[in-house]
Coordinates of all heavy atoms in Angstrom, one line a residue:
M193 N -5.8 -60.1 41.2 CA -4.8 -59.6 40.5 C -5.2 -59.2 39.1 O -4.8 -58.2 38.6 CB -3.6 -60.5 40.4 CG -2.6 -60.5 41.5 SD -2.0 -58.9 41.6 CE -0.3 -59.2 42.3
K194 N -6.2 -60.0 38.5 CA -6.6 -59.7 37.3 C -7.3 -58.4 37.1 O -7.2 -57.7 36.1 CB -7.5 -60.8 36.7 CG -6.8 -61.9 36.0 CD -7.8 -62.7 35.2 CE -6.9 -63.5 34.1 NZ -7.7 -64.3 33.4
T195 N -8.0 -58.1 38.0 CA -8.9 -56.8 38.1 C -7.9 -55.7 38.1 O -8.1 -54.5 37.6 CB -9.9 -56.7 39.2 OG1 -9.0 -56.9 40.5 CG2 -10.9 -57.6 39.1
G196 N -6.8 -55.7 38.8 CA -5.8 -54.8 38.8 C -5.2 -54.4 37.4 O -4.9 -53.3 37.0
R197 N -4.8 -55.6 36.7 CA -4.2 -55.4 35.4 C -5.3 -54.9 34.4 O -5.0 -54.1 33.6 CB -3.7 -56.7 34.9 CG -2.4 -57.1 35.5 CD -1.9 -58.4 34.8 NE -0.6 -58.7 35.4 CZ 0.0 -59.8 35.0 NH1 -0.4 -60.6 34.2 NH2 1.3 -60.1 35.6
A198 N -6.4 -55.3 34.5 CA -7.6 -54.8 33.7 C -7.8 -53.4 33.8 O -8.0 -52.5 32.9 CB -8.9 -55.6 33.8
S199 N -7.8 -53.0 35.1 CA -8.0 -51.5 35.4 C -6.8 -50.8 34.9 O -7.0 -49.5 34.4 CB -8.4 -51.4 36.8 OG -7.2 -51.7 37.6
L200 N -5.7 -51.2 35.1 CA -4.5 -50.5 34.5 C -4.5 -50.4 33.0 O -4.2 -49.4 32.4 CB -3.2 -51.2 35.0 CG -1.9 -50.5 34.5 CD1 -1.8 -49.2 35.1 CD2 -0.7 -51.3 35.0
L201 N -4.9 -51.6 32.5 CA -5.0 -51.5 30.9 C -6.1 -50.6 30.6 O -5.9 -49.7 29.5 CB -5.3 -52.9 30.4 CG -5.3 -53.1 28.9 CD1 -4.0 -52.7 28.2 CD2 -5.7 -54.5 28.5
T202 N -7.2 -50.7 31.3 CA -8.3 -49.7 30.9 C -7.8 -48.2 31.1 O -8.2 -47.4 30.1 CB -9.5 -50.0 31.8 OG1 -9.9 -51.3 31.7 CG2 -10.7 -49.0 31.5
K203 N -7.2 -47.9 32.1 CA -6.7 -46.6 32.4 C -5.7 -46.1 31.2 O -5.8 -45.1 30.7 CB -6.1 -46.4 33.7 CG -7.0 -46.6 34.8 CD -6.2 -46.5 36.1 CE -7.2 -46.6 37.4 NZ -6.5 -46.7 38.6
L204 N -4.9 -47.0 30.8 CA -3.9 -46.8 29.7 C -4.7 -46.5 28.5 O -4.2 -45.5 27.7 CB -3.0 -47.9 29.5 CG -1.8 -47.7 28.5 CD1 -0.8 -46.5 28.9 CD2 -0.8 -48.9 28.4
V205 N -5.6 -47.3 28.0 CA -6.4 -47.1 26.8 C -7.1 -45.7 26.9 O -7.2 -45.0 25.9 CB -7.4 -48.4 26.6 CG1 -8.4 -48.0 25.5 CG2 -6.6 -49.5 26.3
I206 N -7.8 -45.4 28.0 CA -8.4 -44.1 28.1 C -7.5 -43.0 28.0 O -7.8 -42.0 27.4 CB -9.2 -44.1 29.5 CG1 -10.4 -45.1 29.4 CG2 -9.8 -42.8 29.8 CD1 -11.1 -45.3 30.8
L207 N -6.3 -43.1 28.7 CA -5.3 -42.0 28.5 C -4.9 -41.8 27.0 O -4.8 -40.7 26.5 CB -4.1 -42.4 29.4 CG -3.0 -41.4 29.4 CD1 -3.4 -40.0 29.9 CD2 -1.8 -41.9 30.1
I208 N -4.6 -43.0 26.4 CA -4.3 -42.9 25.0 C -5.4 -42.2 24.0 O -5.2 -41.3 23.2 CB -3.9 -44.3 24.4 CG1 -2.6 -44.7 25.0 CG2 -3.7 -44.2 22.9 CD1 -2.2 -46.1 24.7
L209 N -6.6 -42.7 24.3 CA -7.7 -42.0 23.7 C -7.9 -40.6 23.9 O -8.2 -39.7 23.2 CB -9.1 -42.8 24.0 CG -9.3 -44.1 23.4 CD1 -10.5 -44.7 24.0 CD2 -9.3 -44.0 21.9
F210 N -7.6 -40.2 25.3 CA -7.7 -38.7 25.6 C -6.6 -37.9 24.8 O -6.9 -36.9 24.4 CB -7.4 -38.6 27.1 CG -7.5 -37.2 27.7 CD1 -8.7 -36.6 27.7 CD2 -6.3 -36.6 28.1 CE1 -8.8 -35.2 28.1 CE2 -6.4 -35.3 28.5 CZ -7.6 -34.6 28.4
V211 N -5.4 -38.5 24.8 CA -4.3 -37.8 24.0 C -4.7 -37.6 22.5 O -4.5 -36.6 22.0 CB -3.0 -38.5 24.2 CG1 -1.9 -38.0 23.4 CG2 -2.5 -38.5 25.6
V212 N -5.2 -38.7 21.9 CA -5.6 -38.7 20.6 C -6.7 -37.6 20.3 O -6.6 -36.8 19.3 CB -6.0 -40.0 20.0 CG1 -6.6 -39.9 18.7 CG2 -4.9 -41.0 20.0
V213 N -7.6 -37.5 21.2 CA -8.7 -36.6 21.0 C -8.2 -35.2 21.2 O -8.5 -34.2 20.5 CB -9.9 -36.8 22.0 CG1 -10.9 -35.7 22.2 CG2 -10.6 -38.2 21.6
A214 N -7.2 -35.0 22.2 CA -6.7 -33.6 22.4 C -5.8 -33.1 21.2 O -6.0 -32.0 20.8 CB -5.7 -33.7 23.7
I215 N -5.1 -34.0 20.6 CA -4.3 -33.8 19.4 C -5.3 -33.4 18.2 O -5.1 -32.5 17.5 CB -3.4 -34.9 18.9 CG1 -2.3 -35.1 20.0 CG2 -2.8 -34.7 17.6 CD1 -1.4 -36.3 19.9
Q216 N -6.4 -34.1 18.1 CA -7.3 -33.8 17.1 C -8.0 -32.4 17.2 O -8.2 -31.8 16.3 CB -8.4 -35.0 16.9 CG -7.9 -36.3 16.4 CD -7.3 -36.1 14.9 OE1 -7.8 -35.4 14.2 NE2 -6.2 -36.8 14.6
L217 N -8.3 -32.1 18.5 CA -8.9 -30.9 18.7 C -8.0 -29.7 18.4 O -8.4 -28.8 18.0 CB -9.3 -30.9 20.1 CG -10.7 -31.6 20.6 CD1 -10.8 -31.6 22.1 CD2 -11.8 -31.0 19.9
L218 N -6.7 -29.9 18.7 CA -5.7 -28.9 18.4 C -5.6 -28.7 16.9 O -5.5 -27.6 16.4 CB -4.3 -29.2 19.1 CG -4.3 -29.1 20.5 CD1 -3.0 -29.5 21.2 CD2 -4.6 -27.5 21.0
N219 N -5.7 -29.8 16.2 CA -5.6 -29.8 14.7 C -6.8 -29.1 14.2 O -6.7 -28.2 13.3 CB -5.5 -31.3 14.2 CG -5.3 -31.3 12.8 OD1 -4.9 -30.4 12.1 ND2 -5.7 -32.5 12.1
V220 N -7.9 -29.4 14.6 CA -9.2 -28.7 14.2 C -9.1 -27.3 14.6 O -9.6 -26.4 13.7 CB -10.4 -29.4 14.8 CG1 -11.7 -28.6 14.6 CG2 -10.6 -30.8 14.2
R221 N -8.6 -26.9 15.7 CA -8.5 -25.4 16.1 C -7.6 -24.7 15.1 O -8.0 -23.6 14.7 CB -8.0 -25.4 17.5 CG -7.9 -24.0 18.0 CD -7.4 -23.9 19.4 NE -7.3 -22.5 19.8 CZ -6.6 -22.1 20.8 NH1 -5.9 -23.1 21.6 NH2 -6.5 -20.8 21.2
G222 N -6.5 -25.3 14.8 CA -5.6 -24.7 13.8 C -6.3 -24.6 12.5 O -6.1 -23.4 11.8
R223 N -7.0 -25.5 12.0 CA -7.6 -25.4 10.8 C -8.8 -24.4 10.8 O -8.9 -23.7 9.8 CB -8.2 -26.8 10.3 CG -7.1 -27.8 10.0 CD -7.7 -29.1 9.6 NE -8.8 -29.2 9.0 CZ -9.8 -30.2 9.0 NH1 -9.4 -31.3 9.7 NH2 -10.9 -30.2 8.3
L224 N -9.4 -24.3 11.9 CA -10.4 -23.2 12.0 C -9.8 -21.8 12.0 O -10.4 -20.9 11.4 CB -11.2 -23.3 13.3 CG -12.2 -22.5 13.7 CD1 -13.3 -22.5 12.6 CD2 -12.8 -22.6 15.0
Q225 N -8.7 -21.7 12.7 CA -8.0 -20.3 12.6 C -7.6 -19.9 11.2 O -7.6 -18.8 10.7 CB -6.8 -20.3 13.6 CG -7.3 -20.3 15.1 CD -6.1 -20.4 16.0 OE1 -5.0 -20.8 15.5 NE2 -6.2 -20.0 17.2
T226 N -7.0 -21.0 10.6 CA -6.7 -20.7 9.1 C -7.8 -20.3 8.2 O -7.8 -19.5 7.4 CB -6.0 -22.0 8.5 OG1 -4.8 -22.2 9.4 CG2 -5.5 -21.8 7.1
A227 N -9.0 -21.1 8.4 CA -10.2 -20.8 7.6 C -10.8 -19.4 8.0 O -11.2 -18.7 7.1 CB -11.2 -21.8 7.9
E228 N -10.7 -18.9 9.2 CA -11.1 -17.7 9.6 C -10.2 -16.6 8.8 O -10.7 -15.5 8.5 CB -11.0 -17.4 11.2 CG -12.2 -18.1 11.9 CD -12.1 -18.1 13.4 OE1 -11.0 -17.6 13.8 OE2 -13.1 -18.4 14.0
A229 N -9.0 -16.8 8.9 CA -8.0 -15.9 8.3 C -8.3 -15.7 6.7 O -8.4 -14.6 6.2 CB -6.5 -16.2 8.4
D230 N -8.5 -17.0 6.1 CA -9.0 -16.9 4.7 C -10.3 -16.2 4.4 O -10.4 -15.4 3.5 CB -9.0 -18.3 4.2 CG -7.7 -19.1 4.1 OD1 -6.6 -18.4 4.2 OD2 -7.6 -20.3 4.0
Y231 N -11.2 -16.5 5.4 CA -12.5 -15.8 5.2 C -12.3 -14.2 5.4 O -12.9 -13.5 4.6 CB -13.4 -16.1 6.4 CG -14.8 -15.5 6.4 CD1 -15.6 -15.8 5.5 CD2 -14.9 -14.4 7.4 CE1 -16.9 -15.0 5.6 CE2 -16.1 -13.7 7.4 CZ -17.1 -14.0 6.5 OH -18.3 -13.3 6.6
N232 N -11.5 -13.8 6.3 CA -11.4 -12.3 6.4 C -10.6 -11.7 5.2 O -10.9 -10.7 4.7 CB -10.4 -12.0 7.7 CG -11.2 -12.3 8.9 OD1 -12.4 -12.3 9.0 ND2 -10.5 -12.5 9.9
T233 N -9.7 -12.5 4.6 CA -9.0 -12.0 3.3 C -10.0 -11.9 2.1 O -10.0 -10.9 1.4 CB -7.8 -13.0 3.0 OG1 -7.0 -13.0 4.0 CG2 -7.2 -12.5 1.7
V234 N -10.9 -12.9 2.0 CA -11.8 -13.0 1.0 C -12.8 -11.9 1.3 O -13.3 -11.3 0.4 CB -12.5 -14.3 0.9 CG1 -13.7 -14.3 -0.1 CG2 -11.4 -15.4 0.3
Q235 N -13.3 -11.7 2.5 CA -14.2 -10.6 2.8 C -13.7 -9.2 2.5 O -14.4 -8.4 1.9 CB -14.6 -10.6 4.2 CG -15.8 -9.8 4.6 CD -17.1 -10.2 3.9 OE1 -17.3 -11.4 3.7 NE2 -17.9 -9.3 3.7
A236 N -12.3 -9.0 2.7 CA -11.8 -7.7 2.3 C -11.8 -7.6 0.7 O -12.0 -6.5 0.2 CB -10.4 -7.7 2.9
Q237 N -11.5 -8.7 0.1 CA -11.5 -8.6 -1.4 C -12.9 -8.3 -1.9 O -13.1 -7.5 -2.9 CB -10.9 -9.9 -1.9 CG -9.5 -10.1 -1.7 CD -9.0 -11.5 -2.3 OE1 -9.9 -12.4 -2.5 NE2 -7.8 -11.8 -2.3
V238 N -13.9 -8.9 -1.3 CA -15.3 -8.7 -1.7 C -15.7 -7.2 -1.5 O -16.3 -6.6 -2.4 CB -16.3 -9.6 -0.9 CG1 -17.7 -9.2 -1.1 CG2 -16.1 -11.0 -1.3
T239 N -15.3 -6.6 -0.3 CA -15.6 -5.2 -0.1 C -14.8 -4.3 -1.2 O -15.5 -3.3 -1.6 CB -15.1 -4.9 1.3 OG1 -15.7 -5.7 2.2 CG2 -15.4 -3.5 1.7
A240 N -13.6 -4.7 -1.4 CA -12.9 -3.8 -2.4 C -13.6 -3.9 -3.8 O -13.8 -2.9 -4.5 CB -11.5 -4.3 -2.5
Q241 N -14.0 -5.2 -4.1 CA -14.6 -5.4 -5.5 C -16.0 -4.7 -5.5 O -16.4 -4.1 -6.7 CB -14.8 -6.9 -5.8 CG -15.1 -7.2 -7.2 CD -14.1 -6.6 -8.2 OE1 -12.9 -6.8 -8.2 NE2 -14.6 -5.8 -9.2
E242 N -16.7 -4.7 -4.4 CA -18.0 -4.0 -4.4 C -17.8 -2.4 -4.6 O -18.6 -1.8 -5.3 CB -18.7 -4.2 -3.1 CG -19.3 -5.6 -3.0 CD -19.9 -6.0 -1.7 OE1 -19.7 -5.2 -0.6 OE2 -20.6 -7.0 -1.6
A243 N -16.7 -1.9 -4.1 CA -16.4 -0.4 -4.2 C -16.1 -0.2 -5.7 O -16.6 0.8 -6.3 CB -15.3 0.0 -3.4
V244 N -15.4 -1.1 -6.3 CA -15.1 -0.9 -7.7 C -16.4 -1.1 -8.6 O -16.6 -0.2 -9.5 CB -14.0 -1.9 -8.2 CG1 -13.8 -2.1 -9.7 CG2 -12.7 -1.7 -7.6
N245 N -17.1 -2.1 -8.3 CA -18.4 -2.2 -8.9 C -19.4 -1.1 -8.8 O -20.0 -0.6 -9.8 CB -19.1 -3.5 -8.5 CG -18.5 -4.7 -8.9 OD1 -17.5 -4.8 -9.7 ND2 -18.8 -6.0 -8.4
G246 N -19.4 -0.5 -7.6 CA -20.2 0.8 -7.4 C -19.7 1.9 -8.3 O -20.6 2.6 -8.9
A247 N -18.4 2.1 -8.5 CA -17.9 3.1 -9.2 C -18.2 2.9 -10.7 O -18.6 3.9 -11.4 CB -16.3 3.3 -8.9
L248 N -18.1 1.7 -11.0 CA -18.4 1.4 -12.5 C -19.9 1.5 -12.8 O -20.2 2.0 -13.9 CB -18.0 -0.1 -12.8 CG -16.4 -0.3 -13.0 CD1 -16.2 -1.8 -13.1 CD2 -15.8 0.5 -14.0
A249 N -20.7 1.2 -11.8 CA -22.2 1.4 -12.0 C -22.5 2.7 -12.1 O -23.4 3.2 -12.9 CB -23.0 0.6 -10.9
E250 N -21.8 3.6 -11.3 CA -22.1 5.1 -11.4 C -21.7 5.7 -12.7 O -22.3 6.5 -13.2 CB -21.3 5.8 -10.2 CG -21.6 7.3 -10.1 CD -20.9 7.9 -8.9 OE1 -20.7 7.3 -7.9 OE2 -20.6 9.1 -9.1
D251 N -20.5 5.2 -13.1 CA -20.0 5.7 -14.5 C -21.0 5.2 -15.6 O -21.3 6.0 -16.5 CB -18.6 5.0 -14.8 CG -17.6 5.7 -14.0 OD1 -17.8 6.8 -13.4 OD2 -16.4 5.2 -13.9
I252 N -21.6 4.0 -15.5 CA -22.6 3.6 -16.5 C -23.8 4.4 -16.5 O -24.4 4.8 -17.5 CB -22.8 2.1 -16.3 CG1 -21.6 1.2 -16.7 CG2 -24.1 1.6 -17.1 CD1 -21.7 -0.3 -16.2
E253 N -24.3 4.7 -15.2 CA -25.6 5.4 -15.0 C -25.4 6.9 -15.6 O -26.3 7.4 -16.1 CB -25.9 5.5 -13.6 CG -26.5 4.3 -13.0 CD -26.7 4.4 -11.6 OE1 -26.6 5.5 -11.0 OE2 -27.0 3.3 -10.9
N254 N -24.1 7.4 -15.5 CA -23.9 8.8 -15.9 C -23.2 8.8 -17.3 O -22.5 9.7 -17.6 CB -23.1 9.6 -14.9 CG -23.9 9.7 -13.5 OD1 -25.0 9.8 -13.6 ND2 -23.1 9.6 -12.5
A255 N -23.3 7.7 -18.1 CA -22.6 7.8 -19.4 C -22.9 8.8 -20.3 O -22.2 9.2 -21.2 CB -22.8 6.3 -20.0
D256 N -24.2 9.3 -20.2 CA -24.6 10.4 -21.1 C -24.3 11.8 -20.6 O -24.5 12.7 -21.3 CB -26.1 10.3 -21.4 CG -26.5 9.0 -22.1 OD1 -25.6 8.5 -22.8 OD2 -27.6 8.5 -22.0
D257 N -23.8 11.9 -19.4 CA -23.6 13.1 -18.7 C -22.2 13.7 -19.3 O -21.3 13.1 -19.2 CB -23.5 13.0 -17.4 CG -23.3 14.3 -16.6 OD1 -23.6 15.4 -17.2 OD2 -22.7 14.4 -15.5
P258 N -22.2 14.9 -20.0 CA -21.0 15.4 -20.6 C -19.8 15.7 -19.4 O -18.8 15.5 -19.7 CB -21.3 16.9 -21.1 CG -22.9 16.7 -21.3 CD -23.4 15.7 -20.2
D259 N -20.3 16.1 -18.2 CA -19.3 16.3 -17.3 C -18.6 15.1 -16.7 O -17.4 14.9 -16.5 CB -19.9 16.9 -15.9 CG -20.4 18.4 -16.3 OD1 -19.8 19.0 -17.1 OD2 -21.4 18.8 -15.7
T260 N -19.4 13.9 -16.7 CA -18.8 12.6 -16.4 C -17.9 12.1 -17.5 O -16.8 11.6 -17.2 CB -19.9 11.6 -16.1 OG1 -20.8 12.0 -15.2 CG2 -19.3 10.2 -15.8
I261 N -18.2 12.3 -18.7 CA -17.3 11.9 -19.8 C -16.2 12.8 -19.8 O -15.0 12.1 -20.0 CB -18.2 12.2 -21.2 CG1 -19.4 11.2 -21.3 CG2 -17.2 11.9 -22.3 CD1 -20.3 11.4 -22.4
L262 N -16.2 14.0 -19.6 CA -15.0 14.9 -19.5 C -14.1 14.4 -18.4 O -12.9 14.3 -18.5 CB -15.4 16.4 -19.4 CG -14.3 17.4 -19.3 CD1 -13.6 17.4 -20.7 CD2 -14.9 18.8 -19.1
S263 N -14.7 14.2 -17.1 CA -13.8 13.9 -16.0 C -13.2 12.5 -16.3 O -12.0 12.3 -16.0 CB -14.6 13.8 -14.8 OG -15.5 12.7 -14.6
I264 N -13.9 11.6 -16.8 CA -13.3 10.2 -17.2 C -12.1 10.4 -18.2 O -11.1 9.9 -18.1 CB -14.3 9.2 -17.6 CG1 -15.2 8.9 -16.6 CG2 -13.6 8.0 -18.3 CD1 -16.4 7.9 -17.0
A265 N -12.4 11.3 -19.2 CA -11.3 11.5 -20.4 C -10.1 12.2 -19.6 O -9.0 11.6 -20.1 CB -11.9 12.4 -21.3
K266 N -10.3 13.0 -18.7 CA -9.2 13.6 -18.1 C -8.5 12.8 -17.1 O -7.2 12.7 -17.2 CB -9.6 15.0 -17.5 CG -10.0 16.1 -18.5 CD -10.3 17.4 -17.8 CE -10.5 18.5 -18.7 NZ -10.7 19.7 -18.1
E267 N -9.2 12.2 -16.2 CA -8.5 11.4 -15.1 C -8.0 10.1 -15.5 O -7.0 9.7 -15.2 CB -9.6 11.3 -14.0 CG -10.0 12.6 -13.3 CD -11.1 12.4 -12.4 OE1 -11.5 11.2 -12.0 OE2 -11.7 13.4 -11.9
K268 N -8.8 9.4 -16.2 CA -8.3 7.9 -16.6 C -7.6 7.9 -18.0 O -6.8 7.0 -18.0 CB -9.7 7.1 -16.7 CG -10.3 7.0 -15.3 CD -11.5 6.0 -15.3 CE -12.2 6.0 -13.9 NZ -13.4 5.0 -14.0
L269 N -8.0 8.8 -18.9 CA -7.2 8.6 -20.1 C -6.2 9.7 -20.4 O -5.4 9.6 -21.4 CB -8.3 8.8 -21.3 CG -9.4 7.6 -21.1 CD1 -10.4 7.9 -22.3 CD2 -8.8 6.4 -21.3
G270 N -6.2 10.8 -19.5 CA -5.0 11.7 -19.5 C -5.3 12.6 -20.7 O -4.3 13.3 -21.2
L271 N -6.5 12.8 -21.3 CA -6.7 13.7 -22.3 C -7.0 15.2 -21.8 O -7.3 15.5 -20.7 CB -8.0 13.2 -23.2 CG -7.9 11.8 -23.7 CD1 -9.2 11.4 -24.3 CD2 -6.8 11.7 -24.7
V272 N -6.7 16.1 -22.7 CA -7.0 17.5 -22.5 C -7.8 18.1 -23.5 O -7.9 17.6 -24.7 CB -5.6 18.2 -22.4 CG1 -4.8 17.8 -21.1 CG2 -4.7 18.1 -23.6
E273 N -8.5 19.2 -23.1 CA -9.3 20.0 -24.1 C -8.3 20.8 -25.0 O -7.3 21.2 -24.6 CB -10.4 20.9 -23.4 CG -11.4 20.1 -22.7 CD -12.3 21.0 -21.9 OE1 -12.9 21.8 -22.6 OE2 -12.6 20.8 -20.8
P274 N -8.8 21.2 -26.1 CA -8.1 22.1 -27.0 C -7.7 23.3 -26.3 O -8.6 24.0 -25.7 CB -8.9 22.2 -28.2 CG -9.8 21.2 -28.2 CD -10.0 20.7 -26.8
G275 N -6.4 23.7 -26.3 CA -6.0 25.0 -25.6 C -5.8 24.9 -24.2 O -5.3 25.8 -23.5
E276 N -6.0 23.8 -23.6 CA -5.7 23.5 -22.2 C -4.3 23.2 -22.0 O -3.7 22.4 -22.7 CB -6.6 22.4 -21.7 CG -6.6 22.2 -20.2 CD -7.6 21.1 -19.7 OE1 -8.0 20.2 -20.5 OE2 -8.1 21.1 -18.6
I277 N -3.8 23.8 -20.8 CA -2.3 23.5 -20.5 C -2.3 22.8 -19.2 O -2.9 23.2 -18.2 CB -1.6 24.9 -20.4 CG1 -1.7 25.6 -21.8 CG2 -0.2 24.7 -20.0 CD1 -1.0 27.1 -21.7
I278 N -1.4 21.7 -19.1 CA -1.3 21.0 -17.8 C 0.1 21.3 -17.3 O 1.2 21.2 -18.1 CB -1.5 19.4 -18.1 CG1 -2.8 19.2 -18.7 CG2 -1.1 18.7 -16.8 CD1 -3.1 17.7 -19.0
F279 N 0.1 21.6 -16.1 CA 1.4 21.9 -15.4 C 1.7 20.7 -14.4 O 0.8 20.3 -13.7 CB 1.3 23.2 -14.6 CG 1.2 24.4 -15.5 CD1 0.0 24.9 -15.7 CD2 2.3 25.0 -16.0 CE1 -0.2 26.1 -16.5 CE2 2.2 26.2 -16.8 CZ 0.9 26.6 -17.1
Y280 N 2.8 20.2 -14.5 CA 3.3 19.0 -13.6 C 4.2 19.6 -12.5 O 5.1 20.4 -12.9 CB 4.0 18.0 -14.4 CG 3.1 17.4 -15.4 CD1 3.1 17.6 -16.7 CD2 2.1 16.3 -14.9 CE1 2.4 17.0 -17.7 CE2 1.4 15.7 -15.9 CZ 1.4 16.0 -17.3 OH 0.6 15.4 -18.1
D281 N 4.0 19.2 -11.4 CA 4.8 19.7 -10.2 C 6.0 18.8 -10.1 O 5.8 17.5 -9.8 CB 3.9 19.7 -8.9 CG 4.7 20.1 -7.8 OD1 5.8 20.8 -7.9 OD2 4.3 19.9 -6.6
T282 N 7.1 19.3 -10.4 CA 8.3 18.4 -10.4 C 9.3 18.7 -9.2 O 10.4 18.3 -9.1 CB 9.1 18.7 -11.7 OG1 9.5 20.1 -11.8 CG2 8.4 18.2 -12.9
T283 N 8.7 19.5 -8.3 CA 9.5 19.7 -7.0 C 9.7 18.6 -6.1 O 10.5 18.6 -5.2 CB 9.0 21.0 -6.2 OG1 7.7 20.7 -5.9 CG2 9.0 22.2 -7.3
N284 N 8.7 17.6 -6.2 CA 8.8 16.5 -5.2 C 9.6 15.4 -5.8 O 9.4 14.6 -6.6 CB 7.4 16.1 -4.8 CG 6.8 17.1 -3.9 OD1 7.4 18.1 -3.4 ND2 5.5 17.1 -3.8

């Protein structure tokens, strides 16, 4: 009879260990999915920032170019040349 109880107790302990390991694996899987989502978000931010940095580097390289200076002044600062007229489309 003792071997029957020991084997039942052993089976119960193994079952409990199996359940604990399964729960831990599910927990790790959830954390991994969260980490992958965070990684994808950060990777998208890095890509966007690299595009911004590239545009700024191009502006720095062409800082002495009169056409670049003129386009920056018009597009980013809203400046106009003397005698230039700007028409705004108000139909939309």
Side-chain angles (χ1 to χ4, degrees):
M193 280 297 213
K194 266 193 164 185
T195 58
R197 284 188 176 175
S199 66
L200 181 62
L201 183 62
T202 304
K203 290 177 185 178
L204 185 60
V205 169
I206 290 173
L207 179 64
I208 290 172
L209 287 174
F210 181 73
V211 170
V212 168
V213 168
I215 291 171
Q216 289 299 322
L217 285 174
L218 290 175
N219 185 19
V220 168
R221 182 177 178 200
R223 289 176 39 205
L224 179 63
Q225 289 174 344
T226 302
E228 286 176 350
D230 292 344
Y231 173 79
N232 291 335
T233 301
V234 170
Q235 190 64 32
Q237 291 173 349
V238 166
T239 302
Q241 190 60 47
E242 285 175 346
V244 170
N245 289 351
L248 290 173
E250 185 178 329
D251 287 346
I252 290 171
E253 288 175 8
N254 299 323
D256 296 333
D257 183 25
D259 292 331
T260 303
I261 294 171
L262 183 62
S263 69
I264 290 172
K266 286 183 176 184
E267 293 171 10
K268 295 184 180 177
L269 302 176
L271 301 177
V272 294
E273 293 184 51
E276 186 176 22
I277 300 172
I278 298 179
F279 294 97
Y280 295 101
D281 184 13
T282 59
T283 58
N284 293 344

